[in-house]
Amino acid sequence: MSVAEPRRIVLFRHAKADWPQVTDHERPLADRGRMDAAEAGRRLTDTGIAFDLALCSTAVRTRETWKLAVQEFPQRPKTVYEERVYEASPGELIALLNETPDDAQNVLMIGHNPGIQGLADVLAGSGEDDARERMTRRGFPAAAFAVLSFGGTWKRLEPGVATLRDYWAPAE
């Protein structure tokens, strides 16, 4: 892979979670979350991005979201369940992405708010069409995702270097 080709990162917030009497890390998806996760998977497939790597939080709701979404993909990417995604700040998520091997062109990160939304806001130095306006207006509800691109190596990923290419959120 050439570093001249734009890299893409998709930031995907877990689908709607339930609130049973368990720790936050162990919260499962709600019924609506299971439906939205599958729909998000279909929408991710519609982007035409062939993911090389998925970085998924170890929380139950993110693992369930990923399991349902990836069923819609034509090919499953390598998946790494990464505990550092859980409760991470945008800076911590950038540091994690900086560790990505350069042979990974397209990366999907499945995580949590406020980190995922904050990371989308921090990385996007510019935006296409109305994607930024939609993301600003809608926020980053459960099962939403943002598609960003940037040039260079993963080690050079930093605030403001990416372009927000697309944004999707399920209907409320």
Side-chain angles (χ1 to χ4, degrees), residues 30 73 87 145:
F73 286 29
E87 294 187 337
F145 65 82

Side-chain angles (χ1 to χ4, degrees), residues 1 3 7-8 52-55 78 80 84 95-107 150 152-155:
M1 304 250 157
V3 293
R7 296 186 187 278
R8 287 178 287 196
D52 303 302
L53 177 65
L55 296 172
K78 176 182 176 183
V80 175
R84 292 179 292 171
L96 177 60
L97 289 165
N98 289 155
E99 297 173 13
T100 302
D102 282 330
D103 62 347
Q105 194 72 22
N106 302 310
V107 174
F150 70 99
T153 67
W154 289 103
K155 287 177 180 44

Side-chain angles (χ1 to χ4, degrees), residues 15-170:
K16 184 169 180 58
D18 204 354
W19 289 93
Q21 295 296 317
V22 296
T23 65
D24 183 69
H25 192 271
E26 300 304 312
R27 289 176 49 216
L29 290 181
D31 289 342
R32 178 173 164 207
R34 286 188 278 283
M35 290 186 305
D36 287 348
E39 176 65 16
R42 288 187 287 278
R43 297 298 181 124
L44 284 164
T45 298
D46 290 347
T47 68
I49 299 171
F51 294 103
D52 303 302
L53 177 65
L55 296 172
C56 184
S57 164
T58 57
V60 170
R61 60 191 177 275
T62 51
R63 288 184 288 134
E64 287 182 351
T65 297
W66 177 232
K67 181 181 176 182
L68 292 165
V70 76
Q71 290 178 9
E72 304 296 329
F73 286 29
Q75 184 174 338
R76 182 185 180 98
K78 176 182 176 183
T79 301
V80 175
Y81 294 96
E82 176 57 66
E83 64 186 29
R84 292 179 292 171
V85 175
Y86 181 69
E87 294 187 337
S89 69
E92 292 166 329
L93 294 172
I94 289 173
L96 177 60
L97 289 165
N98 289 155
E99 297 173 13
T100 302
D102 282 330
D103 62 347
Q105 194 72 22
N106 302 310
V107 174
L108 175 66
M109 180 177 278
I110 308 99
H112 312 264
N113 262 2
I116 290 291
Q117 180 176 0
L119 182 57
D121 289 337
V122 165
L123 289 178
S126 60
E128 285 190 357
D129 301 320
D130 66 339
R132 184 181 286 284
E133 187 275 326
R134 286 183 291 124
M135 190 170 79
T136 300
R137 186 181 72 238
R138 297 275 322 269
F140 227 90
F145 65 82
V147 179
L148 299 109
S149 67
F150 70 99
T153 67
W154 289 103
K155 287 177 180 44
R156 298 206 172 173
L157 180 66
E158 62 183 39
V161 301
T163 300
L164 179 64
R165 300 287 181 195
D166 198 6
Y167 167 82
W168 179 83

